Amino acid sequence: MRNLILGNWKMNKSSEETRAFFSEFKDLFSNSKVSFTKSNFKIGLAPSFTSLESAKNEINRNLKNQVLLGSQNIHWLESGAHTGEISPQMLKGLDVNFTIIGHSERRQFYGETNETVSLRTKAALENNFLPVVCIGETEEEYKAGKTADIVSTQIEKSLAGITSSDISSGGSLAIAYEPIWAIGTGLAASPQDAQKTHAIIREKLSTIFSSEIANNTPILYGGSVKAGNIEELSSQKDINGALVGGASLNPKDFFDLINNAKFPDS
Ligand code: PGA
């Protein structure tokens, strides 16, 4: 399955609030009789580390195989003196499916670099988590027309040291293109602009790995995605999904957004 709509809860929701979200979310599913397992996309949510366990329990109880579980980071080592980090082994015990790596908030405010992104990505691949590697330009770079150069360099460096054989043919890598100026601003990139950048990213993946891997890799768009703009975004050829922040926090908002997504069938 190449199309994905993933929620990134960032530093929001306690375990209790997580349980409440899932309870309401499940009711929205059952009351509307919408089955997302039949759609041509999958959905997932990445709560904070402290809420992973309650999210796992809620999914296993009510939404098994319907909602993927994600973490917001992953370390490359199994254990050790790394205060504040979380290891692949710890995430395995929580039934995590995907992991967000190199989000711009981590890059901007917490010293994440392309080098650490590549280490984290490699560890995710080795441990069978889907790495969702985030890239995106600043407003200044966007206005200067540097988007293509910036994302190409970020892709190359963030995936340095990763080979085609690290990526299984099933498409176990995902990229999230998130222009920094669009995150949390209510100002999403236009579907046409995003499509253009996604095509550049796919071309780059094909140069680094192969066209098969490039075609199997979901390239998600992130930055102010909501129920009102997902339809047009998801109908673009190279936009295989969304990484959603604010609009994934409220069950009804996220449900509406999912309902409005329309990915082409091929
Ligand atoms: P937003 O965040 O949807 O609130 O803009 C997206 C993200 O940062 O992943």
Side-chain angles (χ1 to χ4, degrees):
M1 174 81 59
R2 205 175 60 145
N3 303 321
L4 294 167
I5 296 185
L6 306 177
N8 170 15
W9 282 356
K10 308 191 180 184
M11 196 173 71
N12 293 291
K13 291 196 195 293
S14 63
S15 308
E16 225 173 291
E17 288 165 336
T18 298
R19 276 191 288 276
F21 174 97
F22 275 99
S23 153
E24 204 180 322
F25 194 54
K26 174 204 61 156
D27 288 347
L28 288 163
F29 268 79
S30 36
N31 294 342
S32 71
K33 299 193 174 55
V34 172
S35 168
F36 294 110
T37 48
K38 291 201 198 91
S39 309
N40 63 353
F41 62 94
K42 283 193 173 170
I43 62 172
L45 282 163
S48 62
F49 292 140
T50 52
S51 290
L52 279 172
E53 180 134 32
S54 35
K56 170 193 136 178
N57 293 337
E58 290 300 313
I59 291 170
N60 285 344
R61 199 176 18 227
N62 293 314
L63 294 160
K64 194 127 182 94
N65 302 322
Q66 297 195 72
V67 179
L68 302 172
L69 184 60
S71 69
Q72 295 178 19
N73 205 353
I74 185 173
H75 198 265
W76 51 94
L77 296 174
E78 287 307 330
S79 62
H82 297 281
T83 305
E85 290 283 341
I86 189 148
S87 78
Q89 211 52 36
M90 294 164 180
L91 295 173
K92 269 189 189 162
L94 291 159
D95 296 352
V96 160
N97 308 105
F98 70 94
T99 177
I100 299 170
I101 299 175
H103 189 280
S104 65
E105 286 150 16
R106 302 234 39 101
R107 290 178 186 260
Q108 274 185 297
F109 308 122
Y110 300 99
E112 189 80 68
T113 62
N114 287 323
E115 290 68 34
T116 51
V117 170
S118 91
L119 289 169
R120 293 183 200 280
T121 305
K122 189 142 178 123
L125 289 166
E126 280 168 5
N127 287 280
N128 289 319
F129 299 118
L130 173 76
V132 180
V133 178
C134 303
I135 54 168
E137 80 286 1
T138 63
E139 184 171 18
E140 203 183 349
E141 290 161 346
Y142 171 70
K143 284 187 171 155
K146 291 186 182 157
T147 302
D149 283 352
I150 297 291
V151 297
S152 296
T153 307
Q154 281 177 331
I155 283 275
E156 205 170 291
K157 294 194 171 167
S158 296
L159 300 177
I162 290 156
T163 62
S164 302
S165 58
D166 291 327
I167 302 168
S168 68
S169 54
S172 57
L173 169 74
I175 304 292
Y177 166 59
E178 300 201 302
I180 295 169
W181 49 269
I183 295 177
T185 58
L187 233 180
S190 74
Q192 296 71 24
D193 256 11
Q195 161 59 33
K196 221 166 93 189
T197 307
H198 281 224
I200 292 166
I201 294 167
R202 201 173 309 282
E203 185 53 43
K204 189 77 195 169
L205 289 171
S206 142
T207 316
I208 299 175
F209 301 113
S210 65
S211 57
E212 195 193 346
I213 288 178
N215 287 333
N216 282 331
T217 299
I219 305 177
L220 317 184
Y221 167 79
S224 298
V225 179
K226 33 188 186 279
N229 59 16
I230 187 71
E231 181 171 348
E232 211 187 333
L233 283 164
S234 60
S235 63
Q236 305 297 314
K237 178 173 164 281
D238 288 297
I239 300 185
N240 315 117
L243 186 56
V244 185
S248 70
L249 289 170
N250 174 285
K252 180 75 167 81
D253 290 348
F254 197 45
F255 180 81
D256 287 345
L257 187 156
I258 291 162
N259 244 330
N260 289 350
K262 283 204 179 65
F263 294 98
D265 265 323
S266 60

